[in-house]
Amino acid sequence: MNEKIEKIKEEIAGHVIASKENLESFRIRFLGSKSVVKDLFSDLKTVANEQRREIGQRLNALRQEAQTRFDQAKEQLEDAASDDEKLDLSRPGDSIEIGARHPLSLVRSEIIEIFNRIGFSVSEGPEIEDDWHNFSALNFPPEHPARDMQDTFFIQKGEEEIALRTHTSSVQVRVMENSKPPIRTISPGRVYRNEAISARAHCFFHQVEGLYIDKDVSFADLKQTLMHFAKEMFGEKAQIRLRPSYFPFTEPSAEVDVSCTICNKKGCNVCKYTGWLEILGCGMVDPNVLDSSNIDSKEYSGFAFGMGVERIAQLKYRVNDLRLYSENDVRFLKQFTPGI
Ligand code: DAH
């Protein structure tokens, strides 16, 4: 008898009551007129006289336990039901927050659109690059300082040394190797340099490379293309100036400044009181570079340029700390999309 009581006790505690139907089956099994507890009460007469009193008390306690469990479960189910009734279908829904595009992504798209309109396609290349595409094919001499460990993140891959690309000029080489002139393409992407992170330098940033190769492409074509870009990007009043420079992959080479959009050339702390800001490097593709990629330098000529996306974003949005672009602070990122 004691064993039977224990078993039923466990059953009462373990019975799942998650619905009205569960509650009713609980009632029938443990509290109804044909319940297992009632059966035990009927068996009481078979119990020896001296034990009957004790077992009777235990049976009463068992019935009480079933009743308490029943009452609690019933109350819980009723509460849950009335919560459902409180549901107000006329309440406005929870609004979904709309994300904002990253300022660098906005500037990148704008650059792409400007060049798309004058016939440049978009091409991409890998961020993990080999020496050939990042340096050798671009006419870097073997001991050139840009190959130095200080600038380049090298990765050891077995015997071979590969690197994170230091500029998007590597994509020029890939495009030239894989297509025939005329070529008119821009290559946006992320580049890496082994620099300490500060407001003015970062170990990764973004560039857009441009390449135009055809018969009789001249320096005047380059200058006109860049002037067009500057006016589209910074407004009709923008001016450019070219300063002679040196890159291994172009000859002649130049650096290009745009008139300061912040002070209109009057001089301010952004342009360091010069009225001009450097935005890109460019030049006529060196014949060695064309030949390395199997393009006949006697038949074709071309120009190339490479600009920093962060630099252009700085001018457009006046953000002068490079670290902000990669900190993912929503309060910063939200400012560039109006109306959110
Ligand atoms: N690759 C150069 C840099 O990262 C930028 C550059 C200069 C790209 C001249 C060019 C170019 O295509 O012609 O500083």
Side-chain angles (χ1 to χ4, degrees), residues 17-24 70-84:
I17 310 177
S19 66
K20 278 189 179 157
E21 290 73 31
N22 295 159
L23 187 69
E24 182 57 8
F70 177 85
D71 292 344
Q72 279 171 354
K74 192 172 167 201
E75 202 176 317
Q76 271 173 12
L77 283 173
E78 278 167 3
D79 275 359
S82 67
D83 272 354
D84 282 349

Side-chain angles (χ1 to χ4, degrees), residues 191-214:
V191 301
Y192 301 84
R193 294 203 192 157
N194 194 358
E195 301 253 10
I197 297 171
S198 71
R200 301 166 58 89
H202 211 294
C203 60
F204 66 80
F205 52 97
H206 300 81
Q207 292 187 332
V208 175
E209 191 77 11
L211 179 69
Y212 183 21
I213 295 173
D214 203 348

Side-chain angles (χ1 to χ4, degrees), residues 168-183:
T168 44
S169 303
S170 55
V171 190
Q172 274 188 36
V173 179
R174 290 187 175 271
V175 172
M176 287 190 282
E177 283 172 345
N178 295 317
S179 44
K180 293 214 169 335
I183 295 170

